[in-house]
Amino acid sequence: VQDRLRVRRQPKRASYDSEAIRAVLDEALVCHVGFAQTNGGCDQPFVIPTAFSRAGDRIYVHAARTSRLAAILRGAPVCVEVTLLDGLVMARSAFHHSMNYRSVIAFGVPAEVDGAEKLTALEALVEKVAPGRWPDIRQPSDKELHATAVCALDLSSAVLKQRTGGPIDDPEDMSLRCWAGIVPLSLEKGIGIED
Ligand SMILES: Cc1cc2nc3c(=O)[nH]c(=O)nc-3n(C[C@H](O)[C@H](O)[C@H](O)COP(=O)(O)OP(=O)(O)OC[C@H]3O[C@@H](n4cnc5c(N)ncnc54)[C@H](O)[C@@H]3O)c2cc1C
């Protein structure tokens, strides 16, 4: 395992299994792209939330070709993060409160893709939000494709960390008379409001 991927804190919660990593990426709708912008004398880290898709062993992010994100995604080192929140863990002490989660971190240098791979990535983005929708909608025009940069990050440097289960309280706190347990959290689609 690469040093930057080795989970040191709670390493039992880490997984490098590509199927497990893919499952989290496929369930999540949003990723955060972290990068350090060092040009122009500024040395500033940024984190930008954005939609993404996965196909095979790559994740794809798209952005307006003229955006800063698109420029960064064409060749700068990034750290991409995705988190699914599964529950609030309510312990008997303030200290042991926690959250159940599955989170993926991936490192790498994205590259712009074109042609069939670009279309596949855009299709995956739509299909992720609404499976079966791609054939029903107008396909991107040449102008729209030109205005949009699609960049891919290989998942060769990725790790999953997850917490499951209830609170881990100190034995001497177990007799305290406060509620303890898990409050499950999930993201659900509501009923569509037609345009
Ligand atoms: C919803 C949520 C809430 C959390 N709340 C807290 C909190 O309140 N306090 C707290 O200390 N920690 C919290 N964590 C855990 C936190 O993400 C870190 O794992 C933890 O702080 C240890 O960080 P570190 O840099 O010391 O880890 P290290 O183990 O030193 O990290 C080494 C490497 O492990 C990987 N890694 C670390 N954390 C994650 C992760 N979460 N997902 C995927 N890969 C990872 C990265 O590749 C990183 O470079 C939370 C995580 C989530 C998802």
Side-chain angles (χ1 to χ4, degrees), residues 96-145:
H96 287 299
H97 276 70
S98 189
M99 290 180 187
N100 282 340
Y101 63 85
R102 289 162 286 155
S103 59
V104 168
I105 289 180
F107 296 99
V109 178
E112 187 166 0
V113 299
D114 229 320
E117 189 176 6
K118 183 172 184 176
L119 262 185
T120 304
L122 293 171
E123 177 177 347
L125 202 63
V126 171
E127 288 291 305
K128 176 176 194 159
V129 174
R133 187 161 175 76
W134 186 252
D136 293 343
I137 55 177
R138 179 176 67 73
Q139 303 299 296
S141 66
D142 286 348
K143 190 176 165 207
E144 288 167 341
L145 283 173

Side-chain angles (χ1 to χ4, degrees), residues 53-131:
S53 63
R54 181 197 67 82
D57 256 343
R58 303 186 109 183
I59 55 174
Y60 295 92
V61 175
H62 75 311
R65 179 169 295 285
T66 50
S67 66
R68 179 180 57 183
L69 182 58
I72 292 294
L73 290 169
R74 290 192 290 260
V78 298
C79 175
V80 175
E81 173 274 343
V82 163
T83 297
L84 298 170
L85 212 42
D86 294 324
L88 303 175
V89 180
M90 320 286 270
R92 290 162 181 83
S93 64
F95 183 81
H96 287 299
H97 276 70
S98 189
M99 290 180 187
N100 282 340
Y101 63 85
R102 289 162 286 155
S103 59
V104 168
I105 289 180
F107 296 99
V109 178
E112 187 166 0
V113 299
D114 229 320
E117 189 176 6
K118 183 172 184 176
L119 262 185
T120 304
L122 293 171
E123 177 177 347
L125 202 63
V126 171
E127 288 291 305
K128 176 176 194 159
V129 174

Side-chain angles (χ1 to χ4, degrees), residues 112-183:
E112 187 166 0
V113 299
D114 229 320
E117 189 176 6
K118 183 172 184 176
L119 262 185
T120 304
L122 293 171
E123 177 177 347
L125 202 63
V126 171
E127 288 291 305
K128 176 176 194 159
V129 174
R133 187 161 175 76
W134 186 252
D136 293 343
I137 55 177
R138 179 176 67 73
Q139 303 299 296
S141 66
D142 286 348
K143 190 176 165 207
E144 288 167 341
L145 283 173
H146 185 71
T148 307
V150 175
C151 300
L153 178 69
D154 283 330
L155 289 171
S156 49
S157 293
V159 55
L160 162 68
K161 188 174 176 184
Q162 57 191 326
R163 187 199 189 280
T164 56
I168 304 168
D169 271 310
D170 295 334
E172 58 271 30
D173 290 337
M174 294 306 286
S175 56
L176 294 176
R177 291 177 57 83
C178 63
W179 191 90
I182 302 169
V183 179

